[in-house]
Amino acid sequence: MTPGIDRAAGRRAVRKAVILARGLGSRMRREDGTAALDPAQASVAATGVKAMIPIGRPFLDYVLSELADAGYEEACLVIGPEHGAVRDYYTVESPPRRIRVAFAIQQRPLGTADALVAAESFAEDEDFLVVNSDNYYPLSALEGLRRLSEPGAALFARQTLLSESNIEPERIRSFAVCAVGPDGYLTGILEKPDAAALEAAGPDPLISMNCWRFSPAIFGPCRATPLSPRGEKELPRAVHEAVTARRIRIRVVRCEGGVLDLSRRADIAAVTERLAGVEAAP
């Protein structure tokens, strides 16, 4: 079979994934006396590089392994110029065998939309997946987006995240709430809703955990997105602009299963427990 061709569906399946791994990791670097970390975990947590937190092996190994399981062939890690240890690990110490790894450099930590622009040359003219380096997604979400014939968004019901993830209710407000039209396409996205906006979205709104399939058309909105009050170009705002002003259609994939979130030191024990018995073989 020709690589990247889904014969059953008669269309080209996505083979590339972009992994956003540039963040400052401010929450992970913050001291937490209640978090039980071993010395290796504490050492990496102090750097803020969440993707390299050892869960037996680096958390990013689990992310890459699942991408390979879902059929992706290439992954681009968006990192900072100071993240040479990440590059060394995946090119010298432990190169993946089932998925090829490339790197893109985001020179300054200006947010997720800016990070995605750093990977534009990797994407070339193909559709591609985008995921966070500190999230572990259900395999069905990664496979569902890969097999679409158009851009898409993997969305998760609030109650599913609460029951099947390590995410507590107050953390839901740090994610983005999405609106979906009757035709199954995204119509809007609101990042970090306040309590009133979250309540207005209904008892079980659809939440974005930053798992997307994009075409190269997304790079224009990402470049045009203004800095937020936090001084960042945020991907949810770029996506909102793409669907509302630029009429870019994004098909919604409603996902079952939870998402493991490795944002803070307190998450490490829960994520370690959830991944016990999961083999990471990228």
Side-chain angles (χ1 to χ4, degrees):
M1 180 181 294
T2 303
I5 301 296
D6 181 353
R7 297 297 189 192
R11 61 177 180 261
R12 185 174 183 84
V14 173
R15 62 188 185 88
K16 293 182 175 182
V18 174
I19 303 174
L20 305 178
R22 173 61 172 98
L24 291 173
S26 300
R27 285 173 294 176
M28 182 61 73
R29 287 188 284 111
R30 191 174 301 139
E31 291 289 343
D32 182 349
T34 67
L37 311 183
D38 64 33
Q41 291 170 338
S43 177
V44 178
T47 71
V49 185
K50 296 175 284 186
M52 300 303 288
I53 296 289
I55 310 291
R57 56 191 301 156
F59 180 74
L60 187 53
D61 278 5
Y62 293 90
V63 177
L64 288 167
S65 183
E66 191 168 46
L67 288 172
D69 288 344
Y72 294 87
E73 301 169 14
E74 300 180 55
C76 178
L77 303 181
V78 181
I79 59 176
E82 72 276 22
H83 293 153
V86 179
R87 183 190 292 271
D88 289 346
Y89 180 83
Y90 287 107
T91 58
V92 179
E93 297 177 41
S94 186
R97 297 182 178 182
R98 296 196 298 140
I99 186 168
R100 295 189 296 278
V101 172
F103 298 88
I105 303 298
Q106 183 188 22
Q107 293 295 334
R108 295 186 295 158
L110 292 178
T112 48
D114 183 73
L116 186 54
V117 172
E120 186 170 9
S121 62
F122 169 80
E124 296 180 315
D125 60 350
E126 300 181 32
D127 280 14
F128 56 94
L129 182 82
V130 175
V131 293
N132 289 336
S133 65
D134 57 352
N135 287 142
Y136 184 78
Y137 302 92
L139 182 64
S140 59
L142 305 180
E143 290 178 330
L145 290 177
R146 191 180 73 84
R147 293 184 176 275
L148 280 181
S149 59
E150 59 189 329
L155 301 184
F156 300 83
R158 177 180 182 274
Q159 294 303 325
T160 298
L161 288 178
L162 293 178
S163 64
E164 300 188 33
S165 307
N166 66 313
I167 298 170
E168 61 277 4
E170 57 269 24
R171 205 188 307 194
I172 293 291
R173 286 174 54 186
S174 68
F175 305 131
V177 173
C178 298
V180 183
D183 59 356
Y185 286 85
L186 193 67
T187 59
I189 182 167
L190 175 63
E191 187 178 23
K192 297 178 176 61
D194 59 24
L198 188 59
E199 183 177 357
D204 200 19
L206 290 174
I207 307 296
S208 168
M209 295 296 294
N210 223 29
C211 185
W212 310 92
R213 170 177 171 159
F214 290 131
S215 76
I218 194 63
F219 292 117
C222 284
R223 279 190 292 268
T225 296
L227 293 175
S228 72
R230 297 191 303 162
E232 298 182 355
K233 292 190 170 191
E234 297 172 343
L235 186 55
R237 182 167 182 178
V239 174
H240 182 78
E241 168 73 13
V243 300
T244 58
R246 305 203 183 198
R247 300 295 187 265
I248 295 174
R249 288 167 64 79
I250 297 180
R251 168 72 72 177
V252 168
V253 176
R254 296 175 183 247
C255 298
E256 300 298 328
V259 178
L260 298 184
D261 186 32
L262 190 64
S263 296
R264 308 172 302 186
R265 296 188 181 203
D267 296 328
I268 294 175
V271 170
T272 299
E273 181 180 358
R274 297 288 187 104
L275 290 177
V278 175
E279 181 180 3

